[in-house]
Protein backbone atom coordinates (compact mmCIF):
# COMPACT_ATOMS: atom_id res chain seq x y z
CA UNK A 1 0.00 0.00 0.00
CA UNK A 2 1.40 3.47 -1.00
CA UNK A 3 2.26 5.91 1.80
CA UNK A 4 -0.08 8.78 2.39
CA UNK A 5 0.69 12.47 2.03
CA UNK A 6 1.27 12.75 5.76
CA UNK A 7 3.93 10.04 5.58
CA UNK A 8 5.74 11.87 2.78
CA UNK A 9 5.75 15.05 4.83
CA UNK A 10 7.23 13.24 7.84
CA UNK A 11 9.91 11.62 5.71
CA UNK A 12 10.78 14.97 4.08
CA UNK A 13 10.98 16.75 7.45
CA UNK A 14 13.18 13.96 8.84
CA UNK A 15 15.53 14.27 5.81
CA UNK A 16 15.68 18.04 6.18
CA UNK A 17 16.50 17.64 9.87
CA UNK A 18 19.30 15.19 9.03
CA UNK A 19 20.69 17.52 6.35
CA UNK A 20 20.59 20.46 8.80
CA UNK A 21 22.35 18.44 11.49
CA UNK A 22 25.00 17.29 9.03
CA UNK A 23 25.55 20.85 7.84
CA UNK A 24 25.95 22.01 11.44
CA UNK A 25 28.44 19.20 12.08
CA UNK A 26 30.40 20.20 8.98
CA UNK A 27 30.41 23.85 10.05
CA UNK A 28 31.65 22.95 13.52
CA UNK A 29 34.34 20.74 12.01
CA UNK A 30 35.44 23.56 9.68
CA UNK A 31 35.65 26.00 12.60
CA UNK A 32 37.58 23.44 14.65
CA UNK A 33 40.01 22.78 11.80
CA UNK A 34 40.54 26.52 11.26
CA UNK A 35 41.21 27.02 14.96
CA UNK A 36 43.65 24.10 14.99
CA UNK A 37 45.42 25.52 11.94
CA UNK A 38 45.75 28.88 13.67
CA UNK A 39 47.13 27.23 16.82
CA UNK A 40 49.58 25.10 14.83
CA UNK A 41 50.75 27.96 12.65
CA UNK A 42 51.43 30.54 15.43
CA UNK A 43 51.31 29.10 18.94
CA UNK A 44 51.17 31.58 21.79
CA UNK A 45 54.31 30.17 23.41
CA UNK A 46 56.18 30.66 20.14
CA UNK A 47 54.99 34.25 19.96
CA UNK A 48 56.21 34.86 23.52
CA UNK A 49 59.55 33.24 22.76
CA UNK A 50 59.96 35.37 19.65
CA UNK A 51 59.26 38.51 21.63
CA UNK A 52 61.74 37.46 24.31
CA UNK A 53 64.42 36.69 21.70
CA UNK A 54 63.85 40.02 19.98
CA UNK A 55 64.08 41.86 23.30
CA UNK A 56 67.24 39.96 24.27
CA UNK A 57 68.77 40.70 20.85
CA UNK A 58 68.01 44.41 21.20
CA UNK A 59 69.58 44.41 24.67
CA UNK A 60 72.67 42.62 23.36
CA UNK A 61 73.05 45.09 20.51
CA UNK A 62 72.64 48.02 22.89
CA UNK A 63 75.17 46.53 25.33
CA UNK A 64 77.62 45.86 22.48
CA UNK A 65 77.30 49.43 21.22
CA UNK A 66 77.87 50.79 24.74
CA UNK A 67 80.88 48.50 25.20
CA UNK A 68 82.34 49.65 21.86
CA UNK A 69 81.99 53.29 22.87
CA UNK A 70 83.56 52.62 26.29
CA UNK A 71 86.39 50.62 24.69
CA UNK A 72 87.07 53.40 22.20
CA UNK A 73 87.21 56.01 24.97
CA UNK A 74 89.44 53.73 27.07
CA UNK A 75 91.83 53.16 24.16
CA UNK A 76 92.12 56.92 23.74
CA UNK A 77 93.04 57.26 27.43
CA UNK A 78 95.57 54.41 27.14
CA UNK A 79 97.24 55.97 24.09
CA UNK A 80 97.53 59.32 25.84
CA UNK A 81 99.06 57.65 28.89
CA UNK A 82 101.54 55.73 26.74
CA UNK A 83 102.59 58.97 25.03
CA UNK A 84 103.10 60.69 28.38
CA UNK A 85 105.19 57.74 29.61
CA UNK A 86 107.42 57.87 26.51
CA UNK A 87 107.97 61.60 27.04
CA UNK A 88 108.78 60.96 30.70
CA UNK A 89 111.33 58.22 29.85
CA UNK A 90 113.00 60.38 27.18
CA UNK A 91 113.18 63.38 29.51
CA UNK A 92 114.77 61.23 32.21
CA UNK A 93 117.41 59.91 29.77
CA UNK A 94 118.21 63.42 28.50
CA UNK A 95 118.53 64.71 32.06
CA UNK A 96 120.96 61.92 32.94
CA UNK A 97 123.07 62.65 29.84
CA UNK A 98 123.08 66.35 30.74
CA UNK A 99 124.24 65.64 34.29
CA UNK A 100 127.04 63.37 33.04
CA UNK A 101 128.26 66.02 30.61
CA UNK A 102 128.08 68.73 33.26
CA UNK A 103 130.08 66.58 35.69
CA UNK A 104 132.70 65.81 33.01
CA UNK A 105 132.97 69.47 32.04
CA UNK A 106 133.58 70.53 35.64
CA UNK A 107 136.08 67.72 36.22
CA UNK A 108 133.84 65.78 38.59
CA UNK A 109 132.41 62.28 38.56
CA UNK A 110 128.73 61.61 37.98
CA UNK A 111 127.30 59.22 40.57
CA UNK A 112 123.98 57.73 39.43
CA UNK A 113 121.06 57.48 41.84
CA UNK A 114 120.52 54.40 43.96
CA UNK A 115 118.43 51.70 42.26
CA UNK A 116 114.72 51.73 43.04
CA UNK A 117 113.93 48.22 41.82
CA UNK A 118 115.82 44.92 41.78
CA UNK A 119 115.14 41.94 39.59
CA UNK A 120 115.98 38.80 41.59
CA UNK A 121 116.58 35.40 39.96
CA UNK A 122 116.95 32.15 41.89
CA UNK A 123 119.91 30.11 40.63
CA UNK A 124 120.21 27.35 43.25
CA UNK A 125 117.98 24.46 44.35
CA UNK A 126 116.72 23.35 47.75
CA UNK A 127 119.62 21.15 48.86
CA UNK A 128 121.33 22.17 52.09
CA UNK A 129 119.38 25.40 52.64
CA UNK A 130 119.11 26.70 56.20
CA UNK A 131 115.59 27.43 57.49
CA UNK A 132 116.04 31.22 57.49
CA UNK A 133 117.14 31.60 53.84
CA UNK A 134 114.47 29.07 52.85
CA UNK A 135 111.79 31.22 54.50
CA UNK A 136 113.11 34.37 52.82
CA UNK A 137 113.00 32.69 49.42
CA UNK A 138 109.39 31.74 50.13
CA UNK A 139 108.58 35.35 51.04
CA UNK A 140 110.19 36.49 47.79
CA UNK A 141 108.08 33.85 45.95
CA UNK A 142 111.24 32.27 44.49
CA UNK A 143 110.17 28.63 44.79
CA UNK A 144 111.92 27.18 41.71
CA UNK A 145 115.26 27.54 39.96
CA UNK A 146 115.26 30.32 37.28
CA UNK A 147 112.24 32.03 38.87
CA UNK A 148 112.45 35.83 38.79
CA UNK A 149 110.58 38.60 40.63
CA UNK A 150 110.69 42.39 40.89
CA UNK A 151 111.56 43.67 44.37
CA UNK A 152 111.49 47.25 45.61
CA UNK A 153 114.92 48.36 46.82
CA UNK A 154 114.52 49.18 50.50
CA UNK A 155 116.72 48.63 53.52
CA UNK A 156 114.67 45.59 54.56
CA UNK A 157 114.81 43.94 51.13
CA UNK A 158 118.55 44.60 50.85
CA UNK A 159 119.12 42.82 54.17
CA UNK A 160 116.96 39.91 53.00
CA UNK A 161 118.89 39.68 49.72
CA UNK A 162 122.15 39.68 51.63
CA UNK A 163 120.99 36.63 53.63
CA UNK A 164 119.95 34.65 50.52
CA UNK A 165 122.78 35.93 48.31
CA UNK A 166 124.36 32.46 47.69
CA UNK A 167 121.06 31.26 46.19
CA UNK A 168 120.12 34.23 43.98
CA UNK A 169 121.52 36.78 41.59
CA UNK A 170 120.03 40.23 41.28
CA UNK A 171 120.59 43.67 39.85
CA UNK A 172 119.01 46.85 38.56
CA UNK A 173 116.84 46.18 35.47
CA UNK A 174 116.44 48.90 32.85
CA UNK A 175 113.20 49.88 31.13
CA UNK A 176 113.85 47.62 28.12
CA UNK A 177 114.34 44.54 30.33
CA UNK A 178 111.18 45.25 32.34
CA UNK A 179 109.09 45.75 29.21
CA UNK A 180 110.45 42.60 27.51
CA UNK A 181 109.85 40.46 30.59
CA UNK A 182 106.25 41.60 31.04
CA UNK A 183 105.33 41.45 27.36
CA UNK A 184 106.98 38.08 26.68
CA UNK A 185 106.69 36.14 29.95
CA UNK A 186 104.11 38.13 31.89
CA UNK A 187 101.37 36.18 33.70
CA UNK A 188 98.89 37.55 36.19
CA UNK A 189 97.65 36.02 39.44
CA UNK A 190 93.84 36.00 39.32
CA UNK A 191 91.94 33.92 41.88
CA UNK A 192 95.20 32.09 42.64
CA UNK A 193 95.48 31.03 39.01
CA UNK A 194 98.24 31.79 36.47
CA UNK A 195 96.54 33.74 33.69
CA UNK A 196 98.44 35.04 30.60
CA UNK A 197 98.29 38.79 29.96
CA UNK A 198 96.62 38.45 26.57
CA UNK A 199 94.73 41.77 26.79
CA UNK A 200 94.41 44.86 28.95
CA UNK A 201 91.12 43.65 30.39
CA UNK A 202 92.96 41.04 32.48
CA UNK A 203 95.04 43.79 34.10
CA UNK A 204 92.14 46.21 34.54
CA UNK A 205 90.03 43.55 36.25
CA UNK A 206 92.56 43.15 39.06
CA UNK A 207 94.40 46.49 39.17
CA UNK A 208 91.77 48.90 37.85
CA UNK A 209 91.07 50.16 41.38
CA UNK A 210 94.73 51.26 41.54
CA UNK A 211 94.41 53.15 38.22
CA UNK A 212 96.47 50.54 36.36
CA UNK A 213 94.52 49.84 33.17
CA UNK A 214 96.99 48.41 30.65
CA UNK A 215 100.40 46.80 30.20
CA UNK A 216 102.14 50.17 29.82
CA UNK A 217 100.68 51.29 33.15
CA UNK A 218 102.06 48.09 34.70
CA UNK A 219 105.50 48.64 33.13
CA UNK A 220 105.56 52.26 34.33
CA UNK A 221 104.54 51.30 37.88
CA UNK A 222 107.33 48.68 38.09
CA UNK A 223 110.01 50.80 36.39
CA UNK A 224 109.40 53.88 38.55
CA UNK A 225 108.62 51.98 41.78
CA UNK A 226 105.35 53.88 42.03
CA UNK A 227 102.97 54.04 45.00
CA UNK A 228 101.17 50.87 43.90
CA UNK A 229 104.36 48.89 43.23
CA UNK A 230 103.49 46.24 45.82
CA UNK A 231 100.09 45.48 44.26
CA UNK A 232 101.54 45.46 40.73
CA UNK A 233 104.44 43.18 41.70
CA UNK A 234 102.17 40.77 43.60
CA UNK A 235 99.80 40.67 40.63
CA UNK A 236 102.63 39.43 38.39
CA UNK A 237 103.24 35.70 38.70
CA UNK A 238 106.96 34.92 39.28
CA UNK A 239 108.66 34.84 35.88
CA UNK A 240 109.66 31.36 34.71
CA UNK A 241 112.90 31.93 32.80
CA UNK A 242 115.02 29.56 30.74
CA UNK A 243 118.64 28.66 31.39
CA UNK A 244 120.89 31.40 29.98
CA UNK A 245 122.07 31.05 26.40
CA UNK A 246 125.59 29.63 26.57
CA UNK A 247 125.06 28.33 30.10
CA UNK A 248 126.15 29.64 33.49
CA UNK A 249 129.73 30.49 34.34
CA UNK A 250 132.16 27.71 35.19
CA UNK A 251 132.05 28.54 38.89
CA UNK A 252 128.34 29.16 39.27
CA UNK A 253 128.30 29.12 43.08
CA UNK A 254 130.94 31.81 43.53
CA UNK A 255 130.16 35.50 43.77
CA UNK A 256 129.76 37.39 40.52
CA UNK A 257 132.83 39.55 41.20
CA UNK A 258 134.88 36.37 41.75
CA UNK A 259 133.92 34.88 38.40
CA UNK A 260 130.75 33.15 39.61
CA UNK A 261 127.07 33.94 39.20
CA UNK A 262 125.37 34.66 42.53
CA UNK A 263 125.12 38.02 44.23
CA UNK A 264 124.62 41.60 43.10
CA UNK A 265 125.61 42.21 39.46
CA UNK A 266 124.12 45.72 39.25
CA UNK A 267 123.30 46.71 35.63
CA UNK A 268 124.83 43.49 34.26
CA UNK A 269 121.56 41.78 35.23
CA UNK A 270 120.15 43.14 31.94
CA UNK A 271 122.56 41.01 29.90
CA UNK A 272 121.53 37.91 31.91
CA UNK A 273 117.85 38.73 31.36
CA UNK A 274 118.43 38.86 27.58
CA UNK A 275 120.07 35.44 27.76
CA UNK A 276 117.31 33.88 29.87
CA UNK A 277 114.22 35.55 28.39
Amino acid sequence: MAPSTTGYIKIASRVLRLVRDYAQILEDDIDRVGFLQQVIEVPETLLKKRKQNEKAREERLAAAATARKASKAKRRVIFKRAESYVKEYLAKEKEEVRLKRAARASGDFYVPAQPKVYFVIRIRGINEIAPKPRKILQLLRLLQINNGVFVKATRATQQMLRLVEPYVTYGEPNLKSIRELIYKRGYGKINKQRIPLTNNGVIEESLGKFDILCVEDLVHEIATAGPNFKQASNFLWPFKLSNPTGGWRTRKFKHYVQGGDFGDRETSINKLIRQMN
Side-chain angles (χ1 to χ4, degrees):
M1 186 173 68
S4 63
T5 305
T6 307
Y8 281 118
I9 292 173
K10 288 182 179 179
I11 292 171
S13 63
R14 192 176 299 160
V15 170
L16 285 173
R17 197 182 300 116
L18 289 173
V19 170
R20 197 184 299 115
D21 293 343
Y22 183 68
Q24 184 65 37
I25 291 170
L26 285 177
E27 188 178 352
D28 293 343
D29 288 343
I30 289 171
D31 292 341
R32 194 179 296 111
V33 169
F35 175 73
L36 289 173
Q37 286 178 347
Q38 290 178 0
V39 172
I40 291 171
E41 286 176 0
V42 188
E44 187 177 354
T45 54
L46 184 59
L47 288 173
K48 288 183 178 178
K49 190 173 183 181
R50 284 180 184 173
K51 288 181 181 179
Q52 290 175 355
N53 290 341
E54 289 176 3
K55 185 178 179 182
R57 182 173 175 273
E58 291 174 0
E59 290 176 353
R60 281 200 306 272
L61 291 174
T66 306
R68 276 196 300 272
K69 288 181 182 178
S71 178
K72 191 174 181 180
K74 199 173 294 177
R75 281 201 303 271
R76 198 177 295 115
V77 171
I78 288 171
F79 288 147
K80 286 183 179 179
R81 284 190 180 188
E83 288 177 359
S84 66
Y85 294 154
V86 170
K87 291 178 182 177
E88 180 184 339
Y89 300 145
L90 290 176
K92 185 178 178 182
E93 288 180 8
K94 288 180 181 178
E95 180 66 15
E96 194 166 353
V97 170
R98 187 190 68 77
L99 291 173
K100 286 181 180 178
R101 287 175 178 172
R104 192 183 304 118
S106 61
D108 296 329
F109 292 99
Y110 172 72
V111 180
Q114 292 293 321
K116 295 181 179 179
V117 179
Y118 288 129
F119 187 68
V120 188
I121 304 172
R122 181 168 179 171
I123 64 171
R124 196 167 177 178
I126 61 173
N127 290 342
E128 299 178 359
I129 296 184
K132 196 168 185 177
R134 185 194 295 269
K135 184 63 178 178
I136 293 173
L137 289 173
Q138 288 176 0
L139 293 174
L140 294 173
R141 300 184 298 154
L142 297 173
L143 305 179
Q144 296 175 327
I145 296 178
N146 295 345
N147 273 11
V149 293
F150 291 109
V151 176
K152 197 169 186 178
T154 62
R155 185 177 178 184
T157 55
Q158 287 174 350
Q159 290 177 351
M160 290 167 66
L161 289 174
R162 214 169 285 128
L163 287 171
V164 297
E165 205 168 51
Y167 309 98
V168 299
T169 184
Y170 60 96
E172 181 184 2
N174 56 24
L175 178 64
K176 182 181 179 183
S177 299
I178 295 172
R179 182 177 279 120
E180 286 180 352
L181 281 169
I182 293 177
Y183 271 98
K184 184 176 180 181
R185 294 185 182 266
Y187 284 79
K189 183 169 66 174
I190 300 175
N191 296 328
K192 299 182 180 180
Q193 291 183 335
R194 186 171 180 255
I195 306 297
L197 303 180
T198 52
N199 56 60
N200 292 326
V202 177
I203 298 173
E204 185 181 0
E205 182 183 350
S206 297
L207 300 177
K209 55 189 174 183
F210 303 111
D211 201 28
I212 299 175
L213 306 177
C214 61
V215 178
E216 283 302 322
D217 287 343
L218 190 60
V219 171
H220 180 264
E221 195 70 24
I222 295 293
T224 60
N228 298 312
F229 176 88
K230 181 179 178 181
Q231 289 80 3
S233 178
N234 287 339
F235 168 74
L236 287 171
W237 198 276
F239 296 93
K240 295 187 176 184
L241 304 175
S242 305
N243 282 321
T245 305
W248 298 98
R249 292 188 177 187
T250 307
R251 299 181 180 277
K252 177 180 177 181
F253 300 126
K254 282 195 171 184
H255 199 282
Y256 180 73
V257 297
Q258 297 175 338
D261 277 306
F262 75 75
D264 185 7
R265 54 177 72 200
E266 299 179 353
T267 56
S268 298
I269 191 70
N270 296 297
K271 181 180 178 183
L272 182 63
I273 291 172
R274 305 277 184 285
Q275 293 174 331
M276 298 182 73
N277 195 4

